[in-house]
Amino acid sequence: AFAAAAGPLGGLNLKALVLVSMLATTFLAHYNAPKFYAELATPKRGSKLRSFNVAVAGGFALAAALCGSIMSAGFLTFGSASSGFILNNYATADALAVVARVGIFSSVTFSYPLLFFGLRDGVIGLLRLDGAKEGVHRVATVALLALVNSLACVMKDLGLVTALGGAILGSTIVYTLPALMALATSAKNKADGKAPLLGPLETAFNYALVPLGGALAVIGAAMTLKAA
């Protein structure tokens, strides 16, 4: 996916959109963000939104620095031969790589339930099922576990999964949906006689984000499948 290639648009290499799609997964809004905001203590002065913004900015900066350093180290070591899962490029006898693999295993093992709970509750809510019923709860759990684990057994290219998911889901969640929600909230405030949430410049910027997210999703997915 990262091999050097001449781009069709002069010096622009569209294969770079595969990387952009992968990077989108780094900055997906966490599904617990509303919960974290609600649990923040209200300051004596002003709104707790400022504290939340500081926490979000710090989290994004840390994620960018961490992912950027790992990605750069891997690519500078293996170049265009870099695997979608960079640890696959290291020898099985490499002691530090073994430590890293153990860390990844622990992270996946202990974070899987948290991620799965969000998936299950989201699917139940999307289908408008009664999650309080024991039967619905058990069937949804078993069905989703079977689906996710079956796909995990079949799909071996982690880079393809990350890039395709980032292109479609990441671009939608990062660019399109927040812009649509902001525009809808601003329009509702205006209809209710309240001050609009967005100014003219912010409104134009959000309108521009909607097609941008759609374009990145389509082109990113197409380039990812082409490079697979």
Side-chain angles (χ1 to χ4, degrees):
F2 304 107
L9 301 178
L12 178 62
N13 185 357
L14 289 180
K15 285 188 176 182
L17 290 177
V18 178
L19 175 60
V20 173
S21 299
M22 290 182 176
L23 294 178
T25 62
T26 307
F27 302 106
L28 293 181
H30 199 280
Y31 61 90
N32 276 330
K35 179 181 178 182
F36 294 156
Y37 177 78
E39 291 178 351
L40 278 176
T42 303
K44 295 181 179 179
R45 295 182 179 179
S47 169
K48 61 182 179 181
L49 183 61
R50 182 176 182 181
S51 300
F52 182 72
N53 288 339
V54 171
V56 170
F60 272 50
L62 181 60
L66 182 62
C67 291
S69 60
I70 295 174
M71 179 184 67
S72 299
F75 186 74
L76 291 175
T77 302
F78 300 105
S80 60
S82 299
S83 171
F85 182 49
I86 198 64
L87 289 179
N88 287 341
N89 285 98
Y90 290 89
T92 55
D94 190 309
L96 293 179
V98 171
V99 173
R101 290 187 179 99
V102 172
I104 293 293
F105 173 79
S106 301
S107 175
V108 172
T109 300
F110 292 108
S111 64
Y112 188 92
L114 299 176
L115 299 173
F116 181 78
F117 290 159
L119 171 65
R120 184 190 60 196
D121 294 344
V123 170
I124 289 176
L126 182 64
L127 298 178
R128 297 184 179 181
L129 302 175
D130 187 359
K133 292 183 178 179
E134 186 174 352
V136 173
H137 188 272
R138 288 184 177 179
V139 170
T141 300
V142 173
L144 289 173
L145 277 175
L147 176 62
V148 172
N149 290 335
S150 296
L151 290 174
C153 291
V154 175
M155 304 186 72
K156 303 297 183 182
D157 190 347
L158 184 60
L160 174 62
V161 175
T162 303
L164 194 58
I168 299 174
L169 301 178
S171 297
T172 301
I173 295 175
V174 172
Y175 302 106
T176 306
L177 293 182
L180 290 176
M181 288 188 290
L183 291 170
T185 302
S186 183
K188 185 177 184 302
N189 286 356
K190 186 176 181 180
D192 292 342
K194 302 178 182 178
L197 178 67
L198 305 174
L201 184 60
E202 293 171 318
T203 300
F205 179 73
N206 278 274
Y207 271 117
L209 281 178
V210 176
L212 173 63
L216 288 176
V218 173
I219 300 175
M223 294 306 301
T224 298
L225 294 174
K226 182 179 179 180

